[in-house]
Amino acid sequence: MKFQCDACERLVPLETYRTEAGGLVVTCGRCGADSRVGPSATTAPRTEARAAPAAGAAPVPSVPVSSAPVPSAPVVPPSESWSAAAPVTPALRVVRSEPGPVVAPLTDDALFEPPPGVCPKCVAPRREEALSCPQCGLVYVNYQPEEQPLSDVLADAWRTLAARWEEWDAHDRLMTLAVGRGELAMVGRLYRIRLAHVPDDAVARRGRDEVVRRATLVVPSSTDLVGTSDVSRRLKTLAAGVGFIVVLVLAVLVFQHLRTLSAGY
């Protein structure tokens, strides 16, 4: 638990305190200033007025005033007294500490295997009475773990990332690696598995959203470009061959027609 010091405006751990004049006093460990919380106002002493005797009543005997000196009350320094004219406003503000980072186990079961209660393929919530997943259409009894292949390179990179989970630069490098290897969808599944184990993990939620964003902006890899160029080259060669055959047939037909015309003369 922490409180905010009015003098230096810092959040200081609440470690020691004392009570003074009916209020709570906390000393800042940084600047040494006191923060006080006490009653909103101090009631000033009231002076009792002596009422006049009523008509017909017996007179009240007067009390002789002693000439002995009256001891004076101890003077309290202004810094330690509670003023009756100015109400004391509570100045101690307690601030709860922020929760620490989410810690998840680093075992392979927690990193790569979905927990019970979710679809083993797309990691969507699973109803007990349902026989198939409403998201991906998987029939649960037909699921084979081999249908979700994960390369050793990506698996090792995910284990390394789990040990440095709070560093976003490490997440960015992993996604770049997955895009180059064509395994971005597998990284998205790993983030969903993490969220299934730790639903309050804000880093995993951000990583899942970033995977979706990159999937819409993904650029074809060099392998895809090479495959596309090979297909285009073959189609062009085939079209050129067909065109050559058509031109050859037309030339033969024209030649025969000319011979027929010349033979008629």
Side-chain angles (χ1 to χ4, degrees):
M1 183 179 295
K2 299 180 180 180
F3 73 96
Q4 184 175 6
C5 176
D6 287 341
C8 62
E9 298 184 353
R10 298 177 180 173
L11 292 179
V12 183
L14 181 59
E15 298 176 351
T16 59
Y17 61 90
R18 69 181 186 274
T19 57
E20 183 176 311
L24 177 66
V25 181
V26 181
T27 303
C28 177
R30 302 286 181 85
C31 65
D34 291 341
S35 297
R36 302 171 180 270
V37 174
S40 60
T42 303
T43 305
R46 294 177 298 178
T47 303
E48 296 181 357
R50 179 174 296 179
V60 179
S62 61
V63 179
V65 179
S66 176
S67 59
V70 179
S72 60
V75 179
V76 181
S79 60
E80 298 183 1
S81 63
W82 298 97
S83 174
V88 178
T89 304
L92 184 63
R93 294 187 291 274
V94 178
V95 180
R96 296 184 179 274
S97 302
E98 295 294 333
V102 179
V103 179
L106 301 180
T107 60
D108 283 357
D109 291 341
L111 294 177
F112 302 104
E113 297 297 331
V118 299
C119 174
K121 182 179 180 181
C122 67
V123 203
R126 174 179 178 178
R127 293 182 298 178
E128 295 182 358
E129 67 277 5
L131 301 179
S132 61
C133 177
Q135 297 292 332
C136 63
L138 171 70
V139 179
Y140 297 131
V141 295
N142 296 335
Y143 174 72
Q144 299 293 332
E146 297 79 11
E147 296 178 358
Q148 304 296 324
L150 183 64
S151 65
D152 295 338
V153 175
L154 190 61
D156 293 339
W158 185 256
R159 293 188 186 96
T160 304
L161 176 64
R164 307 166 56 188
W165 190 251
E166 300 299 324
E167 300 180 13
W168 182 250
D169 291 341
H171 291 263
D172 186 73
R173 289 192 295 269
L174 176 68
M175 294 181 194
T176 303
L177 174 65
V179 170
R181 297 180 57 86
E183 295 184 278
L184 188 60
M186 293 304 303
V187 174
R189 181 174 183 270
L190 293 176
Y191 277 116
R192 292 194 299 271
I193 292 176
R194 171 83 178 200
L195 282 173
H197 286 284
V198 189
D200 297 332
D201 193 339
V203 178
R205 190 178 300 109
R206 178 183 176 184
R208 178 199 60 187
D209 297 341
E210 180 65 15
V211 167
V212 174
R213 188 188 71 84
R214 294 197 181 197
T216 58
L217 303 176
V218 67
V219 179
S221 62
S222 58
T223 305
D224 297 336
L225 294 176
V226 171
T228 303
S229 61
D230 292 341
V231 173
S232 301
R233 190 182 303 110
R234 292 178 181 178
L235 291 176
K236 291 180 180 179
T237 304
L238 180 61
V242 172
F244 176 75
I245 294 174
V246 170
V247 171
L248 183 60
V249 170
L250 290 177
V252 171
L253 293 177
V254 171
F255 180 72
Q256 290 181 353
H257 184 66
L258 292 176
R259 288 186 59 183
T260 303
L261 291 178
S262 59
Y265 291 106

